[in-house]
């Protein structure tokens, strides 16, 4: 697929090159990379959370290895539950806390295999526990209409 004269592969290779230049990736993590950037490998590369497997499984894989919470912390990873819209779940890295109910995240493959930085995520849960969120939808330039269920946040080790 081509977007404004740039292929997805070229964009992905640029993203990996930028990641390497900023020191956020290791050379070994890039060796077998092909195709769009996926959320789990991206989150692993740019956070202190070093889990593997399906994004939705990270919540359970973190048990006993990383602290988990229902409150965001900068550097934590928000884990989305699997659903018909996101069958493998999704993970996003918290970069900024705006308010009790709004954070900014960096994540990959929310829209077409791209890396998005400082995407707004809003807690819409009844209890304010981040169990249900809405996510910024870049193609429309506004918050997405869909509500996604999440497990919570995996915190980096202190």
């Amino acid at each position: 697929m081509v977007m404004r004269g740039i292929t997805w592969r070229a964009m992905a290779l640029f993203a990996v090159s930028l990641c390497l230049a900023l020191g956020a990736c290791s050379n070994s993590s890039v060796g077998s990379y092909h195709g769009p950037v996926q959320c789990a490998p991206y989150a692993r590369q740019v956070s202190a959370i070093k889990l593997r497997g399906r994004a939705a499984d990270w919540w359970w894989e973190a048990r006993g290895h990383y602290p988990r919470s229902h409150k965001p912390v900068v550097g934590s990873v928000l884990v989305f539950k699997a659903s018909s819209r996101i069958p493998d779940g999704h993970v996003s890295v918290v970069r900024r806390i705006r308010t009790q109910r709004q954070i900014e995240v960096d994540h990959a493959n929310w829209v077409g295999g791209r890396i998005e930085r400082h995407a707004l995520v809003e807690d819409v849960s009844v209890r304010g526990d981040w169990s249900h969120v809405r996510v910024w939808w870049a193609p429309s330039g506004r918050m997405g209409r869909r509500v996604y269920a999440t497990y919570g946040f995996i915190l980096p080790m202190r």
Side-chain angles (χ1 to χ4, degrees):
M1 180 178 285
V2 177
M3 181 177 161
R4 294 185 184 156
I6 300 172
T7 66
W8 288 111
R9 183 178 178 119
M11 286 175 47
L13 289 173
F14 171 77
V16 170
S17 298
L18 180 62
C19 186
L20 285 169
L22 295 173
C25 306
S26 67
N27 286 329
S28 62
S29 66
V30 179
S32 62
Y33 173 78
H34 296 292
V37 180
Q38 298 296 315
C39 66
Y42 176 77
R44 185 172 47 253
Q45 289 175 352
V46 301
S47 76
I49 310 301
K50 303 303 177 199
L51 296 172
R52 296 193 170 275
R54 281 177 9 131
D57 296 338
W58 278 32
W59 183 254
W60 305 111
E61 296 295 326
R63 189 173 39 196
H65 301 284
Y66 295 95
R68 300 180 299 175
S69 175
H70 295 285
K71 293 186 179 185
V73 171
V74 172
S76 63
V77 173
L78 176 59
V79 182
F80 290 67
K81 294 181 178 183
S83 69
S84 60
R85 301 277 312 157
I86 49 174
D88 291 325
H90 185 72
V91 287
S92 297
V93 180
V94 177
R95 290 298 177 211
R96 181 175 167 225
I97 299 171
R98 286 185 168 189
T99 69
Q100 278 188 305
R101 292 218 178 212
Q102 289 187 336
I103 59 175
E104 291 178 13
V105 301
D106 291 353
H107 58 178
N109 203 26
W110 190 254
V111 178
R114 295 186 306 214
I115 293 170
E116 292 181 82
R117 290 187 174 78
H118 301 284
L120 182 63
V121 177
E122 183 176 52
D123 175 21
V124 294
S125 64
V126 174
R127 295 184 192 160
D129 62 3
W130 290 89
S131 59
H132 293 87
V133 301
R134 289 186 326 135
V135 180
W136 181 259
W137 185 246
S140 70
R142 62 179 179 234
M143 291 302 291
R145 287 186 244 155
R146 288 189 174 82
V147 173
Y148 294 91
T150 68
Y151 288 108
F153 300 88
I154 300 172
L155 309 179
M157 299 298 285
R158 297 193 184 241

PDB file of all heavy atoms in Angstrom, residues 37-49:
ATOM      1  N   VAL A  37       4.565  -2.205  11.693  1.00  0.00           N
ATOM      2  CA  VAL A  37       5.002  -2.268  13.084  1.00  0.00           C
ATOM      3  C   VAL A  37       3.838  -2.781  13.921  1.00  0.00           C
ATOM      4  O   VAL A  37       2.723  -2.272  13.816  1.00  0.00           O
ATOM      5  CB  VAL A  37       5.439  -0.869  13.571  1.00  0.00           C
ATOM      6  CG1 VAL A  37       5.902  -0.920  15.008  1.00  0.00           C
ATOM      7  CG2 VAL A  37       6.524  -0.306  12.671  1.00  0.00           C
ATOM      8  N   GLN A  38       4.087  -3.778  14.745  1.00  0.00           N
ATOM      9  CA  GLN A  38       3.071  -4.343  15.629  1.00  0.00           C
ATOM     10  C   GLN A  38       3.190  -3.727  17.021  1.00  0.00           C
ATOM     11  O   GLN A  38       4.274  -3.328  17.440  1.00  0.00           O
ATOM     12  CB  GLN A  38       3.211  -5.862  15.697  1.00  0.00           C
ATOM     13  CG  GLN A  38       3.003  -6.558  14.368  1.00  0.00           C
ATOM     14  CD  GLN A  38       1.588  -6.366  13.842  1.00  0.00           C
ATOM     15  OE1 GLN A  38       0.619  -6.490  14.575  1.00  0.00           O
ATOM     16  NE2 GLN A  38       1.476  -6.035  12.560  1.00  0.00           N
ATOM     17  N   CYS A  39       2.089  -3.697  17.767  1.00  0.00           N
ATOM     18  CA  CYS A  39       2.075  -3.002  19.052  1.00  0.00           C
ATOM     19  C   CYS A  39       2.955  -3.662  20.107  1.00  0.00           C
ATOM     20  O   CYS A  39       3.657  -2.961  20.847  1.00  0.00           O
ATOM     21  CB  CYS A  39       0.649  -2.852  19.569  1.00  0.00           C
ATOM     22  SG  CYS A  39      -0.195  -4.394  19.997  1.00  0.00           S
ATOM     23  N   ALA A  40       2.932  -4.985  20.219  1.00  0.00           N
ATOM     24  CA  ALA A  40       3.687  -5.652  21.294  1.00  0.00           C
ATOM     25  C   ALA A  40       5.203  -5.488  21.124  1.00  0.00           C
ATOM     26  O   ALA A  40       5.878  -5.078  22.076  1.00  0.00           O
ATOM     27  CB  ALA A  40       3.285  -7.119  21.404  1.00  0.00           C
ATOM     28  N   PRO A  41       5.783  -5.791  19.953  1.00  0.00           N
ATOM     29  CA  PRO A  41       7.222  -5.569  19.811  1.00  0.00           C
ATOM     30  C   PRO A  41       7.610  -4.103  20.001  1.00  0.00           C
ATOM     31  O   PRO A  41       8.639  -3.796  20.599  1.00  0.00           O
ATOM     32  CB  PRO A  41       7.536  -6.039  18.384  1.00  0.00           C
ATOM     33  CG  PRO A  41       6.431  -6.957  18.029  1.00  0.00           C
ATOM     34  CD  PRO A  41       5.223  -6.460  18.775  1.00  0.00           C
ATOM     35  N   TYR A  42       6.766  -3.200  19.523  1.00  0.00           N
ATOM     36  CA  TYR A  42       7.053  -1.774  19.688  1.00  0.00           C
ATOM     37  C   TYR A  42       7.055  -1.407  21.169  1.00  0.00           C
ATOM     38  O   TYR A  42       7.993  -0.753  21.654  1.00  0.00           O
ATOM     39  CB  TYR A  42       6.035  -0.926  18.925  1.00  0.00           C
ATOM     40  CG  TYR A  42       6.238   0.553  19.159  1.00  0.00           C
ATOM     41  CD1 TYR A  42       7.269   1.233  18.524  1.00  0.00           C
ATOM     42  CD2 TYR A  42       5.423   1.262  20.041  1.00  0.00           C
ATOM     43  CE1 TYR A  42       7.481   2.585  18.756  1.00  0.00           C
ATOM     44  CE2 TYR A  42       5.627   2.603  20.279  1.00  0.00           C
ATOM     45  CZ  TYR A  42       6.659   3.259  19.635  1.00  0.00           C
ATOM     46  OH  TYR A  42       6.873   4.597  19.879  1.00  0.00           O
ATOM     47  N   ALA A  43       6.039  -1.812  21.911  1.00  0.00           N
ATOM     48  CA  ALA A  43       5.966  -1.496  23.347  1.00  0.00           C
ATOM     49  C   ALA A  43       7.158  -2.095  24.091  1.00  0.00           C
ATOM     50  O   ALA A  43       7.717  -1.459  24.986  1.00  0.00           O
ATOM     51  CB  ALA A  43       4.652  -2.011  23.938  1.00  0.00           C
ATOM     52  N   ARG A  44       7.549  -3.288  23.723  1.00  0.00           N
ATOM     53  CA  ARG A  44       8.706  -3.933  24.359  1.00  0.00           C
ATOM     54  C   ARG A  44       9.977  -3.121  24.098  1.00  0.00           C
ATOM     55  O   ARG A  44      10.819  -2.960  24.977  1.00  0.00           O
ATOM     56  CB  ARG A  44       8.850  -5.368  23.841  1.00  0.00           C
ATOM     57  CG  ARG A  44       9.941  -6.161  24.508  1.00  0.00           C
ATOM     58  CD  ARG A  44       9.970  -7.630  24.129  1.00  0.00           C
ATOM     59  NE  ARG A  44       9.856  -7.885  22.698  1.00  0.00           N
ATOM     60  CZ  ARG A  44       8.773  -8.370  22.100  1.00  0.00           C
ATOM     61  NH1 ARG A  44       7.686  -8.637  22.779  1.00  0.00           N
ATOM     62  NH2 ARG A  44       8.773  -8.579  20.801  1.00  0.00           N
ATOM     63  N   GLN A  45      10.120  -2.583  22.895  1.00  0.00           N
ATOM     64  CA  GLN A  45      11.320  -1.836  22.534  1.00  0.00           C
ATOM     65  C   GLN A  45      11.404  -0.471  23.200  1.00  0.00           C
ATOM     66  O   GLN A  45      12.492  -0.006  23.494  1.00  0.00           O
ATOM     67  CB  GLN A  45      11.404  -1.656  21.014  1.00  0.00           C
ATOM     68  CG  GLN A  45      11.718  -2.930  20.285  1.00  0.00           C
ATOM     69  CD  GLN A  45      11.679  -2.752  18.776  1.00  0.00           C
ATOM     70  OE1 GLN A  45      11.278  -1.726  18.260  1.00  0.00           O
ATOM     71  NE2 GLN A  45      12.096  -3.786  18.064  1.00  0.00           N
ATOM     72  N   VAL A  46      10.272   0.176  23.406  1.00  0.00           N
ATOM     73  CA  VAL A  46      10.306   1.550  23.918  1.00  0.00           C
ATOM     74  C   VAL A  46       9.914   1.673  25.387  1.00  0.00           C
ATOM     75  O   VAL A  46       9.803   2.781  25.902  1.00  0.00           O
ATOM     76  CB  VAL A  46       9.434   2.506  23.061  1.00  0.00           C
ATOM     77  CG1 VAL A  46       9.923   2.519  21.619  1.00  0.00           C
ATOM     78  CG2 VAL A  46       7.969   2.161  23.159  1.00  0.00           C
ATOM     79  N   SER A  47       9.707   0.553  26.070  1.00  0.00           N
ATOM     80  CA  SER A  47       9.362   0.596  27.491  1.00  0.00           C
ATOM     81  C   SER A  47      10.306  -0.321  28.269  1.00  0.00           C
ATOM     82  O   SER A  47      11.123  -1.030  27.689  1.00  0.00           O
ATOM     83  CB  SER A  47       7.910   0.150  27.713  1.00  0.00           C
ATOM     84  OG  SER A  47       7.792  -1.260  27.605  1.00  0.00           O
ATOM     85  N   ALA A  48      10.147  -0.312  29.565  1.00  0.00           N
ATOM     86  CA  ALA A  48      10.931  -1.195  30.431  1.00  0.00           C
ATOM     87  C   ALA A  48      10.227  -2.527  30.649  1.00  0.00           C
ATOM     88  O   ALA A  48      10.698  -3.363  31.409  1.00  0.00           O
ATOM     89  CB  ALA A  48      11.189  -0.505  31.773  1.00  0.00           C
ATOM     90  N   ILE A  49       9.111  -2.745  29.986  1.00  0.00           N
ATOM     91  CA  ILE A  49       8.346  -3.990  30.103  1.00  0.00           C
ATOM     92  C   ILE A  49       8.816  -4.938  28.997  1.00  0.00           C
ATOM     93  O   ILE A  49       8.649  -4.643  27.815  1.00  0.00           O
ATOM     94  CB  ILE A  49       6.825  -3.731  29.992  1.00  0.00           C
ATOM     95  CG1 ILE A  49       6.389  -2.610  30.932  1.00  0.00           C
ATOM     96  CG2 ILE A  49       6.039  -5.019  30.220  1.00  0.00           C
ATOM     97  CD1 ILE A  49       6.660  -2.839  32.392  1.00  0.00           C
TER      98      ILE A  49
END
